[in-house]
Amino acid sequence: MASEKVLQLDGTNFDREVLQSEVPVLVDFWAAWCAPCRMVGPSIDELAAEYDGRAKVGKVNVDEAGDLAARFGITSIPALLYFKGGKVVDSLIGAQPKGVLSRGLDDLLA
């Protein structure tokens, strides 16, 4: 079950929630059929709760928002993009341990 803290992002809210955000944002580009994506899901939920108020954590379902995947050149999933000041500042491809994901957010908050 997805955390209520995780932003469900699509073409209608992406720019407002991510590109115009005052805080760093971690965006998980994923799909329901992707086993590595499902492995990362619980970490994404936990990070959204742990960083609430300091950073945002969101998910983009590439099957439902293919336009966003294309816009950011997503060719492999899970793709985890870090945004700060409206720009992609870092990215990771593939299932990553929670500690790696949190270090990325910590670096942006430092």
Side-chain angles (χ1 to χ4, degrees):
M1 183 168 96
S3 164
E4 65 277 356
K5 303 278 186 201
V6 176
L7 297 168
Q8 301 304 314
L9 299 167
D10 58 29
T12 64
N13 65 354
F14 190 90
D15 287 4
R16 179 180 71 251
E17 293 288 354
V18 178
L19 302 183
Q20 298 169 12
S21 177
E22 299 287 323
V23 297
V25 187
L26 170 59
V27 178
D28 174 20
F29 287 83
W30 73 288
W33 49 264
C34 167
C37 298
R38 291 193 307 272
M39 291 170 50
V40 171
S43 295
I44 294 296
D45 292 345
E46 292 169 16
L47 291 169
E50 291 170 17
Y51 286 85
D52 187 35
R54 299 183 295 145
K56 294 180 182 180
V57 178
K59 297 180 83 155
V60 173
N61 184 321
V62 297
D63 289 334
E64 296 172 2
D67 55 329
L68 284 175
R71 180 173 163 190
F72 291 98
I74 304 302
T75 56
S76 296
I77 55 174
L80 301 131
L81 275 56
Y82 293 88
F83 289 82
K84 187 170 185 179
K87 299 195 178 340
V88 176
V89 294
D90 200 2
S91 64
L92 299 166
I93 302 296
Q96 302 290 328
K98 181 181 170 189
V100 170
L101 300 176
S102 64
R103 275 194 295 281
L105 284 171
D106 291 341
D107 288 348
L108 295 181
L109 290 167

